[in-house]
Amino acid sequence: MYRSQRLGLKYLTASTVMFGAMVAFGLLSSIYYIWPGFLLNVFNFNTAKIVHIDGLVIWLLMGFLGAIYWFLPQELECEVEGIALAEILFWVFCAAVAVVVAVLIFVQYGAASESSMWFINQGRKYVEAPRWAALGIVAVMGVFAYNVIGTAVKARKTTGILTVLIFDLVPLVVLYLDAFPEIRNMSQDLFWWWWLVHLWVEATWEVLIGCIMAWTLIHLVSASRRVVESWLYVEVAMVLGTGILGLGHHYFFIGTPRYWFAIGGFFSALEPLPLLGMVVHAVYDAGSNHLRAANRPAFYWTLAEAFGNFIGGGVWGFMMTLPQINLYSHGTQWTASHGHFAFWGAYGCGVIAVLYLALEKSRGYDGLDSRAWRWSFALLNIGMLGMVGALLVAGMDQAFYERAIGGSTWGAFLAMEGRPWFVEGMWTRSAFGLLFACGYATLVYDLLTARRPEAAVTESMAAAGS
Amino acid sequence: MTPAAMLATAILLGAFVAAAGAYGLLYCAARISDRKMLRTGGYVSYMGLCLITLALVAFTPLHVGWKVFVVASCLIYLMIPPVTWRYLTRLHREERIR
Amino acid sequence: MEIPTSGRSQSYTQDPLFWRAGAIAATIFMSMVLIALTIDTLRQITPGSPRVPSYDVINNSVAYKFDPIRAEYVPKIGGEELIFGHKYSPEEAADLIGKGKLVIQSRACIDCHTFFGNGGYYAPDLTRAWMDPVWGIYAGPKRADKLANFLMHPLRLGARAMPDLHIQRDEAEAAVAYLKWMSSVDSNGFPDRFGAQSAQ
């Protein structure tokens, strides 16, 4: 195993741990909605939510890094350039995350001063981590980019997938620079903030996961390189062709000009089209392999990725993307429903697929199967479906009563709190969140106890016989 | 638009893409297993998509530009599965020949 | 890099290089359009523009009314209505608003509340909080004081009460000024019908 692949496994392990932290703080955040006064002035909702959503970003980023450190040396058939530095920075990254979380838990917030921005909490969604930590992330991403590009230079070659990844790394790193400024004008702040968030999750991250899925298919079902590369180019053309100006769907109501209604609405409404293409591709691959692959969990999580992306991003997104609808759905639990579903489908499922693939290959197994992965697959996906369904009902109730009828005043908000469908939605969300957490626990159990398929079969036979 | 129209329109828009997805899935499944039920399911899904398109055009207060967009999307969604399938099949066939 | 050879004629759509060129062209074209629109948008949201008033709007009354021509709710800037007994110069107002933004960020308000609909969905949207009917019954100077007092000593209202974030008086005044300035921004009718139900 290359050193880079060992580092990849470390990142994937850290990613799994962060996934757990995200789930724990997500469950915690959901309790505030159903238990009035819960931990008020002790540990407020906003801090719990910060750990939850920043945990989301970190577990996925670590998953991406883990996947790429895993695939890269195999792709170029040589050790990754600068791997020693990357290994050090892994531990720095983990330590930084731990410190940031500890400060958020025990200090939570500071006075309105620059030192709060540098050391405690920057208070901008998804990028609340203090500036010193943001600098750390820039260092990690910078070294990562050096590892990738430097290895290609050292090997004096590249491949189609790797070239796409390298070009994608540039905006990926540059966009993160929006994690630093403190912009007085909220319209301008949100304008640039959406460059970071949207052009990450609906553009550069889509390309990144596309590259990772391309490598996954090569190593999972021996897909032809030429085929996956061709498809990757199609995907990039469609996703960036629609996603770059689809950014405008965040510019309807932040003070920016009205032309974003037409531009953002139009390109955003086009975004589901390439996602349907991805579903076709997934079904084609599933059919070509007769729904069989030696590594069954990786295969099924790859399929889940295509479908989850389409439904969570495409269906849920299209419901709320037109400006006339968004005027009322904007900033409600409806948004949270779409956000959870889209992140899960587009990225969560993909990282889990890589977890299983790396597990299989790192142990030299010839395939992977178990009963636990099926339980985990079911619990996680049913848990997610339940959560987003509950949030959708609550969000539609909120859009209807609080926004459309109530006019979004404080009084409308207070009246909304007690509405039965909203309250039931919040309880249902928590219940399915618990199911999701059980799915996570089962996933970890499966990853820890995975063994060779033959050994698993022998054991079940022995258990059946006794 | 009224609150009720807003919700109804949103649900129709979500159903629109869901129907397109169902059509795509069933079309592809039918190409793999060549079962009549799957083919019929594909046609029914696309008919559903057309009915939803009709409802969006006739009964929602969306601006005419969006209605034109929805109709155009309905036609494009018809073509995506067969075009993509043909592309993938040819790509794999050429690869096997190589 | 692998270069596929096409010894036989094939549709150009089967050639990966066609799609690679398409990906590059689409990305470049869309990025250039985005950059052009960004330049224009930033110009239009600079304080002092028609869409985003300058920071010393905090010296004026700000209301939110239905505009029949635009068929949506629009902020209306009126005559002088001071807050905290002080008429702020443009520089003083800019400093105060800047401090207000620091308060909002240091307390991570955006992780419970939404601003222009962006943020956390746990607490009310604050885009027009300055004009909320709860405070709107008070004239400007008194309204500012009431709001500032609330921020320093939040009342426990409803199931999801506002926490005490140890906001000091100067921070509270800055945050209130920020809310007043923000409520004057033209956000294309969001939130719709704000205050309309109370007016009825």
Side-chain angles (χ1 to χ4, degrees):
Chain A
M1 216 189 297
Y2 291 100
R3 264 172 89 177
S4 172
Q5 290 184 299
R6 288 189 210 283
L7 179 62
L9 290 177
K10 288 195 180 74
Y11 263 111
L12 290 171
T13 307
S15 165
T16 310
V17 171
M18 275 314 296
F19 183 10
M22 181 199 75
V23 170
F25 278 86
L27 265 179
L28 179 66
S29 302
S30 76
I31 294 174
Y32 294 85
Y33 280 96
I34 58 179
W35 183 339
F38 179 64
L39 292 180
L40 184 67
N41 295 322
V42 172
F43 191 72
N44 297 313
F45 172 83
N46 60 346
T47 322
K49 183 194 165 92
I50 289 173
V51 182
H52 176 59
I53 62 176
D54 289 26
L56 165 75
V57 174
I58 296 297
W59 96 264
L60 291 175
L61 263 182
M62 284 185 164
F64 297 154
L65 261 58
I68 293 166
Y69 279 121
W70 174 263
F71 287 123
L72 185 62
Q74 291 178 292
E75 186 74 348
L76 295 177
E77 294 166 317
C78 68
E79 186 57 83
V80 164
E81 175 70 16
I83 191 63
L85 186 57
E87 285 165 345
I88 294 168
L89 274 175
F90 167 73
W91 293 111
V92 169
F93 194 4
C94 291
V97 168
V99 170
V100 167
V101 172
V103 168
L104 279 170
I105 290 173
F106 295 109
V107 179
Q108 298 178 24
Y109 55 85
S113 64
E114 285 297 312
S115 66
S116 292
M117 300 296 107
W118 275 101
F119 300 110
I120 305 174
N121 188 336
Q122 287 199 78
R124 290 171 75 231
K125 199 174 161 191
Y126 297 117
V127 288
E128 293 90 344
R131 276 191 199 126
W132 74 264
L135 273 176
I137 292 182
V138 172
V140 169
M141 298 300 290
V143 168
F144 170 67
Y146 163 64
N147 291 145
V148 174
I149 298 169
T151 312
V153 169
K154 180 174 85 169
R156 292 189 190 283
K157 71 173 185 179
T158 184
T159 63
I161 301 171
L162 187 57
T163 306
V164 170
L165 179 70
I166 288 172
F167 276 106
D168 194 56
L169 282 182
V170 174
L172 191 73
V173 176
V174 169
L175 286 169
Y176 187 70
L177 294 177
D178 184 68
F180 291 90
E182 172 219 318
I183 300 173
R184 177 166 35 199
N185 176 350
M186 186 60 86
S187 296
Q188 196 180 332
D189 182 351
L190 290 173
F191 182 84
W192 289 118
W193 181 78
W194 277 119
W195 267 64
L196 166 58
V197 178
H198 175 96
L199 293 179
W200 260 23
V201 309
E202 291 181 74
T204 54
W205 278 25
E206 291 268 18
V207 173
L208 195 60
I209 200 75
C211 295
I212 291 170
M213 287 293 107
W215 278 323
T216 301
L217 286 173
I218 288 173
H219 293 278
L220 181 62
V221 295
S222 305
S224 148
R225 173 176 292 279
R226 184 166 177 272
V227 169
V228 298
E229 279 183 358
S230 306
W231 182 252
L232 184 62
Y233 295 140
V234 173
E235 250 186 70
V236 171
M238 299 290 176
V239 165
L240 293 188
T242 56
I244 290 175
L245 287 180
L247 166 62
H249 67 198
H250 299 291
Y251 292 158
F252 295 159
F253 306 119
I254 65 164
T256 43
R258 283 192 89 80
Y259 52 65
W260 287 110
F261 276 30
I263 295 169
F266 175 74
F267 282 94
S268 160
L270 288 179
E271 283 183 40
L273 294 164
L275 299 180
L276 181 61
M278 289 184 208
V279 167
V280 172
H281 185 210
V283 179
Y284 183 94
D285 279 349
S288 314
N289 293 285
H290 307 287
L291 272 177
R292 278 196 288 274
N295 189 330
R296 293 181 76 78
F299 185 69
Y300 278 90
W301 278 112
T302 305
L303 287 184
E305 158 88 23
F307 285 95
N309 201 354
F310 177 77
I311 304 171
V315 178
W316 252 243
F318 198 66
M319 257 200 286
M320 60 187 306
T321 202
L322 295 192
Q324 307 92 315
I325 309 293
N326 200 261
L327 180 62
Y328 303 105
S329 67
H330 193 41
T332 65
Q333 301 298 335
W334 196 337
T335 315
S337 178
H338 168 55
H340 279 78
F341 210 170
F343 264 112
W344 176 245
Y347 303 113
C349 296
V351 172
I352 295 175
V354 174
L355 280 175
Y356 274 107
L357 186 68
L359 178 73
E360 178 209 350
K361 301 296 184 190
S362 65
R363 302 223 184 137
Y365 295 166
D366 192 20
L368 210 56
D369 201 355
S370 68
R371 252 204 306 203
W373 83 258
R374 295 155 204 265
W375 275 100
S376 156
F377 187 86
L379 288 169
L380 284 167
N381 284 301
I382 293 171
M384 179 55 64
L385 281 170
M387 280 197 285
V388 301
L391 286 169
L392 183 67
V393 168
M396 284 181 160
D397 201 31
Q398 193 183 354
F400 190 92
Y401 285 103
E402 185 183 330
R403 292 247 184 279
I405 293 176
S408 309
T409 58
W410 192 4
F413 166 81
L414 288 170
M416 189 61 221
E417 279 182 342
R419 287 197 53 80
W421 283 23
F422 186 84
V423 171
E424 283 161 21
M426 295 296 103
W427 278 95
T428 309
R429 183 266 297 268
S430 291
F432 277 97
L434 205 52
L435 206 68
F436 188 85
C438 293
Y440 169 76
T442 316
L443 171 72
V444 171
Y445 169 79
D446 191 45
L447 292 171
L448 290 173
T449 59
R451 52 191 74 187
R452 285 180 195 280
E454 312 84 55
V457 166
T458 310
E459 253 188 42
S460 337
M461 284 169 69
S466 62
Chain B
M1 57 167 78
T2 66
M6 179 267 297
L7 274 190
T9 307
I11 290 169
L12 278 173
L13 289 168
F16 179 82
V17 179
Y23 159 64
L25 172 63
L26 291 165
Y27 174 92
C28 297
R31 291 297 292 257
I32 293 168
S33 69
D34 201 28
R35 278 198 207 144
K36 191 177 174 199
M37 199 164 74
L38 292 171
R39 258 201 310 272
T40 309
Y43 294 139
V44 167
S45 298
Y46 192 73
M47 285 304 113
L49 179 62
C50 294
L51 283 172
I52 294 167
T53 305
L54 197 62
L56 280 164
V57 169
F59 301 120
T60 67
L62 289 175
H63 188 272
V64 68
W66 292 116
K67 292 182 179 180
V68 169
F69 176 87
V70 163
V71 171
S73 295
C74 182
L75 296 168
I76 294 170
Y77 276 122
L78 174 66
M79 295 186 294
I80 288 176
V83 167
T84 312
W85 191 268
R86 189 163 55 237
Y87 172 79
L88 288 167
T89 315
R90 284 190 190 162
L91 201 59
H92 281 82
R93 190 168 55 227
E94 279 175 17
E95 194 55 24
R96 277 194 294 276
I97 291 168
R98 284 164 181 267
Chain C
M1 174 154 348
E2 292 176 4
I3 300 174
T5 54
S6 48
R8 295 170 285 132
S9 67
Q10 61 176 8
S11 162
Y12 60 84
T13 57
Q14 297 297 135
D15 183 357
L17 296 185
F18 167 78
W19 290 103
R20 191 178 73 176
I24 295 169
T27 305
I28 292 174
F29 178 73
M30 295 301 175
S31 299
M32 285 172 62
V33 173
L34 178 61
I35 288 167
L37 291 173
T38 294
I39 292 168
D40 182 68
T41 296
L42 288 174
R43 182 183 57 80
Q44 290 202 44
I45 61 174
T46 302
S49 67
R51 303 194 65 83
V52 179
S54 54
Y55 298 121
D56 60 356
V57 77
I58 59 176
N59 296 322
N60 292 73
S61 73
V62 183
Y64 195 57
K65 299 265 184 274
F66 185 76
D67 183 322
I69 298 167
R70 285 176 52 171
E72 64 189 16
Y73 280 78
V74 170
K76 295 278 185 237
I77 318 294
E80 189 174 276
E81 187 186 74
L82 302 181
I83 55 172
F84 308 120
H86 184 78
K87 185 166 179 174
Y88 296 89
S89 69
E91 295 76 28
E92 283 174 333
D95 285 344
L96 188 65
I97 299 296
K99 181 166 184 166
K101 185 60 159 45
L102 252 187
V103 173
I104 286 165
Q105 284 190 226
S106 65
R107 301 323 196 272
C109 302
I110 207 167
D111 282 296
C112 278
H113 291 277
T114 47
F115 293 75
F116 297 122
N118 292 273
Y121 318 119
Y122 186 72
D125 181 74
L126 295 180
T127 310
R128 310 285 169 209
W130 169 256
M131 288 98 104
D132 195 283
V134 166
W135 313 112
I137 54 174
Y138 303 108
K142 190 159 185 192
R143 191 190 309 181
D145 280 328
K146 288 273 181 192
L147 257 169
N149 286 337
F150 176 82
L151 287 174
M152 291 187 291
H153 311 290
L155 303 169
R156 289 199 183 194
L157 289 173
R160 312 207 287 263
M162 165 112 175
D164 180 354
L165 294 163
H166 300 104
I167 296 175
Q168 305 306 306
R169 178 79 204 182
D170 60 321
E171 293 179 325
E173 290 187 4
V176 169
Y178 198 92
L179 291 176
K180 186 176 184 185
W181 167 78
M182 191 172 64
S183 70
S184 70
V185 172
D186 183 352
S187 58
N188 296 329
F190 178 84
D192 191 33
R193 304 188 73 246
F194 189 88
Q197 202 175 44
S198 303
Q200 287 162 14

